[in-house]
């Protein structure tokens, strides 16, 4: 006879922390192996309303020091966990007072937009002053070159690493305000976009003056054609970089952005040589032209990552139909770093945060988790590549600067757990509590991933959406932030969830950080 699931009566038990806990269990027979599975998903099992409204899974095991795998018993309990996550409490008012102008400050006047505004308005003021004083065309070329260089260097891996190392070196003893602002270094994309747009304005001024002074001749006509060709490619970069276009047609944005940059470099070199050819001494003209030296720096910075282009071996580890773990052995990575990989060197490149393999796969050096979110990732999971292209050096990401806080709350959903696992390697990492919401974590990501999560937090809060449904995580974050006495919140999720958590915390005066579209 087939065993049937049963539901025990509701009972109240005092926890080890002295808290009365309501327990209701629904039990099904163990499988033949006797091993439980994470996330019970049998559709014919009934789930009591008490569970669906008042419980989530906070995984821990005092006895085994492994994440608690809960399947056959669905319960809300405190006997082995110092924290209860009560979904019913999500409807309660939080204790944090929201800042009066918090929505304006943290959703409209973001650090990214402030940096963009400073970069652009500073250039705009200088442009007006120079035009009033009577700038020459070459003054405008120099100004445009300076902005193009700053814009390009903001995307150079060595420069990015230097910025993160400098700002990430601020000690935990520094005033909170300094650490809070330093952690926003990943918003430097505002400088990238601000100077990029400003360079177009400067160059339009140069093109207008050159066209106004144009006198027909073979050399002048040739120069004029290159002047407007460069402007056309500059405008194309700005247009495709608009957030809406970039998000909807990312592959086209990347290809246009990359190839337009290369074409502009070539055209700019030709343009400067043609302008120099009209002077009495081309050598003297170029050596005394700031744009010439700036162009040399920009050319070297652009070529450098491609000099490190290599086809590397990859060891795929299928986790499920939704995710795959890619193992690498070609170099070393440290906490907070990621790599860019591609299946073809001239097509779309994808960046992934990495974490060490030394705890569970010692024959490789590091790995990353790829989940199914687009055509490229879907093909990667289905075809399981054994070789990929890489370029440049491993680059630091926003998570690196969070080491300046002694205690943090890490919030993530789905495959966002991959970048979070980078914390396990850092000996100086902050103490942390982990909140991870995903569907069937054991089935999707495997036991080894759960074990690595346990290295970050011995008592992680894992919300299995196949059981609980999608949960509003902000109240859980606020509660753990207070109970853990944390100083900051780190959120790695999809853009909507990241904004909700980060802005929700910031408007309550809690330092919170999450990747932005241009970080």
């Amino acid at each position: 006879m087939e065993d049937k699931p049963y539901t025990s009566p509701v009972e109240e038990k005092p926890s080890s922390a002295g808290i009365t806990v309501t327990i209701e269990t629904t039990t099904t027979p163990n499988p033949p192996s006797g091993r439980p599975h994470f996330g019970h998903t049998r559709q014919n099992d009934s789930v009591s309303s008490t569970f669906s409204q008042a419980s989530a899974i906070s995984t821990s095991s005092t006895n085994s020091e492994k994440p608690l795998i809960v399947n056959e018993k669905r319960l809300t309990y405190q006997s082995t966990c110092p924290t209860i996550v009560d979904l019913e409490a999500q409807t309660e008012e939080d204790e944090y007072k929201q800042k009066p102008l918090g929505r304006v400050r943290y959703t409209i006047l973001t650090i990214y937009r402030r940096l963009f505004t400073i970069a652009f308005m500073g250039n705009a003021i200088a442009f007006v002053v120079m035009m009033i004083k009577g700038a020459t065309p070459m003054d405008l070329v120099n100004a445009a070159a300076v902005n193009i260089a700053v814009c390009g260097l903001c995307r150079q891996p060595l420069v990015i690493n230097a910025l993160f190392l400098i700002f990430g070196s601020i000690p935990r003893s520094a005033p909170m305000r300094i650490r809070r602002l330093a952690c926003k270094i990943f918003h430097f994309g505002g400088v990238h976009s601000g100077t990029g747009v400003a360079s177009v304005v400067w160059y339009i001024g140069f093109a207008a003056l050159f066209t106004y002074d144009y006198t027909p001749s073979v050399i002048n006509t040739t120069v004029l054609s290159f002047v407007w060709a460069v402007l056309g490619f500059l405008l194309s970069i700005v247009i495709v970089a608009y957030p809406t276009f970039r998000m909807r047609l990312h592959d086209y944005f990347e290809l246009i952005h990359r190839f337009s940059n290369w074409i502009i470099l070539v055209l700019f070199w030709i343009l400067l040589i043609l302008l120099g050819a009209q002077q009495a001494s081309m050598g003297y003209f170029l050596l005394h032209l700031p744009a010439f030296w700036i162009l040399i720096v920009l050319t070297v910075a652009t070529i450098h990552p491609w000099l490190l282009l290599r086809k590397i071996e990859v060891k795929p580890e299928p986790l499920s139909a939704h995710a795959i773990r890619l193992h690498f052995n070609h170099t070393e990575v440290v906490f907070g770093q990621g790599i860019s990989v591609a299946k073809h060197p001239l097509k779309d490149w994808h960046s992934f945060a990495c974490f060490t393999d030394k705890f569970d796969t010692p024959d490789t050096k590091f790995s990353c988790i790829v989940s199914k979110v687009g055509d490229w990732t879907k093909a990667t999971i289905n075809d399981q590549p054994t070789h990929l292209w890489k370029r440049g050096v491993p680059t630091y990401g926003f998570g690196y600067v969070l080491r300046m806080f002694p205690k943090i709350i890490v919030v993530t959903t789905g495959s966002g757990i991959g970048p979070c696992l980078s914390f396990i390697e850092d000996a100086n990492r902050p103490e942390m509590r982990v909140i991870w919401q995903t569907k069937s974590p054991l089935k999707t990501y495997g036991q080894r991933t759960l074990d690595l999560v346990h290295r970050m937090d011995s008592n992680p809060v894992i919300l299995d959406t196949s059981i609980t449904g999608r949960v509003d995580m902000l109240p859980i974050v606020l509660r753990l932030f207070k109970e853990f006495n944390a100083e900051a919140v780190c959120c790695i999720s999809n853009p909507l969830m990241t904004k909700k958590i980060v802005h929700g915390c910031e408007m309550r005066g809690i330092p919170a950080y999450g990747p932005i579209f241009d970080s």
Side-chain angles (χ1 to χ4, degrees), residues 27-47:
T27 306
T28 62
N30 283 332
S33 63
R35 297 184 60 188
H37 301 280
F38 198 121
H40 191 58
T41 58
R42 286 181 56 187
Q43 296 181 2
N44 59 347
D45 286 339
S46 62
V47 181

Side-chain angles (χ1 to χ4, degrees), residues 288-300:
H288 289 78
L289 185 68
F292 171 74
W293 298 103
I294 292 171
L295 197 57
I296 291 177
V297 172
L298 192 56
T299 302
V300 172

Side-chain angles (χ1 to χ4, degrees), residues 156-175:
Q156 219 288 333
L158 297 180
V159 175
I160 294 174
N161 285 345
L163 288 173
F164 275 98
L165 287 173
I166 292 171
F167 282 84
S169 65
I170 295 176
R172 293 173 182 173
S173 59

Side-chain angles (χ1 to χ4, degrees), residues 135 204 240 243 250 256 269 296 301 309 390 481 513:
I204 289 174
V240 300
H250 183 80
I256 294 173
W269 274 113
I296 291 177
L309 181 68
K390 74 92 184 177
F481 183 86
Y513 308 92

